[in-house]
Amino acid sequence: MSDSLDELFKRVLSAKIFINRDLLRPDYIPDELPHRERQILRLAETLTPILKGSRPSNVFIYGMTGTGKTAVTKYVLNRLMIEGKKKGIPLNIAYINCRHDDTNYRVLADLCEAINAKVPFTGLSTSELFRRFLKTLDISDRAMFVVLDEVDSLVKKSGDRVLYDLTRINNQLIRAKVSIIGITNDLNFTDYLDPRVRSSLGEEELVFPPYTAVELEDILRQRTEKAFVNGVISPEVIKLCAALAAKEHGDARRALDLLRVAGELAEREGSDKVLEIHVRNAQKELEKDRVVEVIRTMPFHSKLLIISLYLLEKEGKRGCTTGELYEVYSKISKSYGLEPLTQRRISDLINELDMLGIINAKVVSKGRYGRTKVVNLIVPSSNLKEAMKEDSMVYSFFEK
DNA sequence: CGTCCACAGGAATGACGGGCGG
DNA sequence: CCGCCCGTCATTCCTGTGGACG
């Protein structure tokens, strides 16, 4: 045992792959953002009036994941902070990820926290929270930027109440000013909004197109120089990462992840170069990690649902209907001595799994024979197995 | 061309745990 | 400690519907 460990240490330590792998992490913001010069300029133009004491327009930013929306926003706000400090103008910035904090209450709580107003996790009414936020904010002359990242998840889940209140907050403030930067992945997002919110939030709109494969290559090259040891990454590897990520709607985060994981795989192997095969395996690895993490933390009934689907497909039944799936699920559930959830609830769970990309569910009308959802598993069973490992209750279904 | 299947998915409601302020 | 208000999960009841069959 110790021999093989010795060997592992030796292999990993002798392989010089990375100089600084943190530069490849998604939350790292580089000093330069290639191919986003126009967006940076536009955003800066819009926000700079803050330094002259007037309230900037609210901004709405559209773009798919990994198109640099968050990076550009943080970059510009950072520069603005620095400039503000030089001029003695205090800026408050609240950055809120609405995917994580997707209720009105939590968003307001975060806002309060950003200006050091202490509030409980829960317990107050949302209007009370809003009142406190307003009061604390208006104590002094100051400007505040509220960044609502992935704001679509907030609105879809909890409505646009907070957004509405926030867009009108300046009427109630005497000394302070607030401007909002909304970021969304969903291009049709404004359909969900109240027209009043839409117009005041979209005073200024900014679109981030997906990166092309060539642009992705530039980004990767730029990061590679500082993150990897010279000569470890060949142009072909960069090209491959860029191409794979370009297929996923030009997702730079994806491209960087691929490169990083490929590097880690190469390091583990003791290779002194990152090869194409490492990139291919990195892609599988990333997908697996995602699925495993999502499933592992799922509630029990969702797991049972997945198992049911797995069993159905193992019997060669590709594309089963809600009814069939529910029947199997019911049976399994009862065999555990559990009362099955209602079909209505299962219908929601199916939609949830669909959104997470674990299964594929499509409404199909079979005319005379009704209207249902055709459901398919879209993750390999080996990943399922991995994900259910620690759940011994459910794992037994994967034996044999 | 109307019927009618097998559900989809909206609305209302309730149980429950957490956390206030008084 | 109480009364109140949250968010989450779940149930009940409900109306709506695409299109093959007759």
Side-chain angles (χ1 to χ4, degrees):
Chain A
M1 188 62 195
S2 71
D3 282 350
S4 60
L5 268 188
D6 279 344
E7 205 191 306
L8 174 86
F9 292 150
K10 205 167 131 197
R11 212 166 56 219
V12 172
L13 291 176
S14 70
K16 282 300 285 176
I17 297 281
F18 292 107
I19 300 172
N20 183 357
R21 78 183 71 194
D22 291 340
L23 304 192
L24 300 170
R25 298 201 184 276
D27 46 1
Y28 172 77
I29 297 175
D31 304 330
E32 274 174 58
L33 295 159
H35 303 291
R36 283 296 175 252
E37 293 82 5
R38 284 182 51 196
Q39 282 79 7
I40 289 175
L41 213 60
R42 268 285 306 281
L43 187 60
E45 276 169 11
T46 311
L47 300 185
T48 305
I50 198 80
L51 297 177
K52 292 201 282 180
S54 49
R55 186 187 76 82
S57 300
N58 293 330
V59 187
F60 214 86
I61 299 178
Y62 302 91
M64 310 285 285
T65 46
T67 50
K69 303 182 296 295
T70 307
V72 165
T73 306
K74 284 187 171 172
Y75 175 81
V76 171
L77 286 178
N78 257 337
R79 292 287 299 270
L80 223 51
M81 278 276 261
I82 294 169
E83 203 58 32
K85 217 166 248 166
K86 273 191 217 158
K87 293 194 186 323
I89 301 168
L91 294 182
N92 281 81
I93 295 175
Y95 175 84
I96 299 173
N97 188 321
C98 303
R99 185 205 288 275
H100 187 234
D101 299 323
D102 58 359
T103 64
N104 290 331
Y105 190 94
R106 257 180 267 169
V107 169
L108 283 171
D110 284 353
L111 286 178
C112 290
E113 201 178 308
I115 55 173
N116 297 320
K118 67 174 179 66
V119 289
F121 290 109
T122 167
L124 300 181
S125 73
T126 43
S127 52
E128 170 61 17
L129 267 197
F130 190 75
R131 218 179 48 79
R132 289 195 193 186
F133 173 61
L134 198 83
K135 218 173 124 198
T136 313
L137 186 65
D138 217 17
I139 286 173
S140 63
D141 287 307
R142 56 175 147 184
M144 180 162 192
F145 285 110
V146 175
V147 183
L148 298 169
D149 205 346
E150 308 198 51
V151 63
D152 45 330
S153 18
L154 169 69
V155 172
K156 278 174 200 162
K157 188 141 179 276
S158 313
D160 54 8
R161 186 62 210 276
V162 170
L163 241 43
Y164 180 70
D165 288 343
L166 277 177
T167 52
R168 297 187 13 177
I169 195 172
N170 287 297
N171 302 333
Q172 305 171 52
L173 290 169
I174 299 163
R175 313 182 63 185
K177 311 187 233 330
V178 171
S179 51
I180 306 168
I181 302 172
I183 303 180
T184 171
N185 306 322
D186 184 346
L187 303 177
N188 301 318
F189 169 61
T190 46
D191 297 349
Y192 296 91
L193 290 178
D194 183 301
R196 286 170 297 184
V197 178
R198 194 184 309 159
S199 63
S200 61
L201 200 57
E203 287 172 336
E204 202 72 43
E205 295 190 0
L206 213 50
V207 178
F208 281 54
Y211 292 110
T212 63
V214 179
E215 289 169 346
L216 284 174
E217 277 183 52
D218 285 340
I219 294 171
L220 292 180
R221 242 193 315 273
Q222 172 219 14
R223 302 278 185 106
T224 304
E225 277 172 25
K226 290 177 189 163
F228 284 100
V229 173
N230 203 1
V232 165
I233 303 283
S234 68
E236 286 73 36
V237 164
I238 287 187
K239 237 191 176 77
L240 180 60
C241 288
L244 288 173
K247 248 191 253 172
E248 304 236 344
H249 59 255
D251 185 343
R253 183 184 314 166
R254 181 76 180 182
L256 289 164
D257 278 344
L258 275 173
L259 204 56
R260 177 174 52 81
V261 175
E264 283 166 1
L265 289 175
E267 185 174 61
R268 212 173 300 164
E269 249 177 43
S271 163
D272 56 358
K273 268 183 190 267
V274 176
L275 306 171
E276 265 194 38
I277 179 75
H278 296 134
V279 178
R280 304 261 178 214
N281 287 336
Q283 196 177 25
K284 283 185 207 150
E285 189 88 357
L286 282 170
E287 174 62 13
K288 197 188 88 188
D289 285 354
R290 204 201 102 233
V291 169
V292 168
E293 188 48 34
V294 166
I295 296 183
R296 212 173 48 78
T297 57
M298 252 181 331
F300 191 61
H301 282 284
S302 298
K303 288 185 185 175
L304 283 187
L305 198 56
I306 295 173
I307 298 281
S308 310
L309 191 54
Y310 164 74
L311 290 177
L312 270 167
E313 296 207 347
K314 208 171 72 171
E315 309 208 338
K317 194 134 180 50
R318 299 282 304 159
C320 62
T321 65
T322 309
E324 292 166 320
L325 183 55
Y326 183 70
E327 210 165 296
V328 176
Y329 156 78
S330 276
K331 213 176 284 174
I332 294 183
S333 198
K334 278 176 193 152
S335 79
Y336 278 110
L338 287 169
E339 198 59 30
L341 301 178
T342 48
Q343 188 156 330
R344 180 67 187 83
R345 180 69 188 136
I346 291 301
S347 165
D348 278 347
L349 291 184
I350 289 176
N351 285 339
E352 206 173 287
L353 290 175
D354 183 38
M355 283 220 307
L356 290 169
I358 308 291
I359 66 175
N360 191 324
K362 223 172 99 191
V363 267
V364 164
S365 181
K366 296 184 178 172
R368 192 61 250 258
Y369 303 106
R371 194 159 172 269
T372 182
K373 230 168 207 178
V374 171
V375 187
N376 276 305
L377 212 46
I378 51 175
V379 295
S381 55
S382 58
N383 287 357
L384 292 185
K385 198 171 165 180
E386 174 85 22
M388 310 264 187
K389 229 173 197 161
E390 42 188 80
D391 206 325
S392 54
M393 288 271 280
V394 140
Y395 188 63
S396 57
F397 284 102
F398 290 97
E399 313 293 56
K400 88 177 166 41

